[in-house]
Amino acid sequence: MKPGQTQRTPWIVGVSGASGTPYAAAVLRALLEAGERVDLVVSRASRLTLLDETGISFRDAHWQDDLREWLSRGADGKPDTFQVDIGGVRHWSAGDLAAGPSSGSYPSKGMLIVPASTACVAGVALGLSKDLLQRAASVTLKERRKLVVAVRETPLNGQTLRHLVTLDDAGASVVPASPGFYAGATHIQDLVDFVAGRVLDAAGVEHGLYRRWKGELGRGDATRTT
């Protein structure tokens, strides 16, 4: 590092194969808007989900173009909804177990897994490290950094619940992808942004994705007149 330079300390964002790629897109956009640096790991299974939910093929060799197209879309699939500068993103292939985030000496602020599949939850809870996403999560836990797991599945069976308790005991924050309605949602994007905002709340990242509860009844009704 050259004199005068500051160390790049990113948030690692892992995208697993669960349904819910709009949640990941909303988190990524908010992190970049907040001026955060991001290291992105997109699992192999999540690429199939992304293709199914958006029609976008996420390719390692063309990740910048594919990411830019993905983040520009709204939760309703409409293209060119958002303008996003992805200059703060570094991409690591999910199969690259020699990547920076695979080591505890690699600096990061923590890791957000959004959405997190039950298979991903199990792998992290059991310390399997079968790909870079799981390995980076294991490193985050052992280094006592923030790990936020946005689990997206229903119903949850006993085995998954035990895995989630294991992650909680290890210091992770478990954030179910469960949108709230008190913020006055009028569009699918509002519901997605609520979940993304709760993920960022758990990480301690400032954002303006949803209206916070202030103890005043009736403020969530968008049709209410005064």
Side-chain angles (χ1 to χ4, degrees):
M1 189 166 57
K2 297 179 180 179
Q5 281 187 328
T6 57
Q7 180 173 261
R8 183 180 183 275
T9 308
W11 284 99
I12 302 168
V13 176
V15 186
S16 82
S19 176
T21 55
Y23 294 132
V27 166
L28 288 165
R29 285 192 297 264
L31 284 171
L32 294 172
E33 185 175 346
E36 300 287 351
R37 296 293 183 262
V38 173
D39 276 21
L40 178 63
V41 182
V42 181
S43 77
R44 292 179 180 178
S46 70
R47 298 175 193 223
L48 297 176
T49 307
L50 182 63
L51 179 62
D52 184 54
E53 293 183 345
T54 69
I56 297 171
S57 296
F58 194 92
R59 304 157 294 175
D60 286 341
H62 303 280
W63 71 268
Q64 290 174 309
D65 292 336
D66 297 338
L67 179 63
R68 193 176 289 110
E69 181 182 0
W70 177 24
L71 298 190
S72 73
R73 295 195 180 197
D76 58 1
K78 184 179 179 181
D80 301 321
T81 300
F82 299 99
Q83 297 295 321
V84 183
D85 180 1
I86 64 168
V89 181
R90 183 173 185 178
H91 168 257
W92 300 95
S93 173
D96 185 3
L97 291 177
S102 69
S103 172
S105 65
Y106 183 80
S108 78
K109 293 183 177 180
M111 183 173 184
L112 316 176
I113 305 178
V114 53
S117 67
T118 55
C120 174
V121 166
V124 176
L126 297 173
L128 298 183
S129 297
K130 73 179 184 67
D131 62 7
L132 180 59
L133 194 159
Q134 292 184 12
R135 172 59 185 168
S138 294
V139 167
T140 300
L141 288 175
K142 80 180 183 67
E143 296 296 325
R144 300 295 191 267
R145 297 168 185 161
K146 288 186 178 180
L147 175 64
V148 182
V149 179
V151 61
R152 215 307 303 165
E153 183 60 88
T154 188
L156 296 171
N157 63 27
Q159 189 174 43
T160 298
L161 291 169
R162 285 188 286 273
H163 289 151
L164 291 172
V165 170
T166 297
L167 292 179
D168 179 77
D169 288 343
S173 295
V174 176
V175 181
S178 176
F181 293 83
Y182 59 81
T186 59
H187 190 275
I188 187 175
Q189 189 66 54
D190 299 326
L191 298 176
V192 168
D193 285 348
F194 181 90
V195 171
R198 297 300 287 151
V199 170
L200 295 173
D201 287 345
V205 177
E206 292 187 7
H207 65 87
L209 288 175
Y210 68 90
R211 181 177 60 79
R212 298 183 181 278
W213 175 251
K214 295 183 179 179
E216 300 176 22
L217 294 175
R219 292 194 62 201
D221 186 351
T223 64
R224 185 183 297 272
T225 58
T226 57

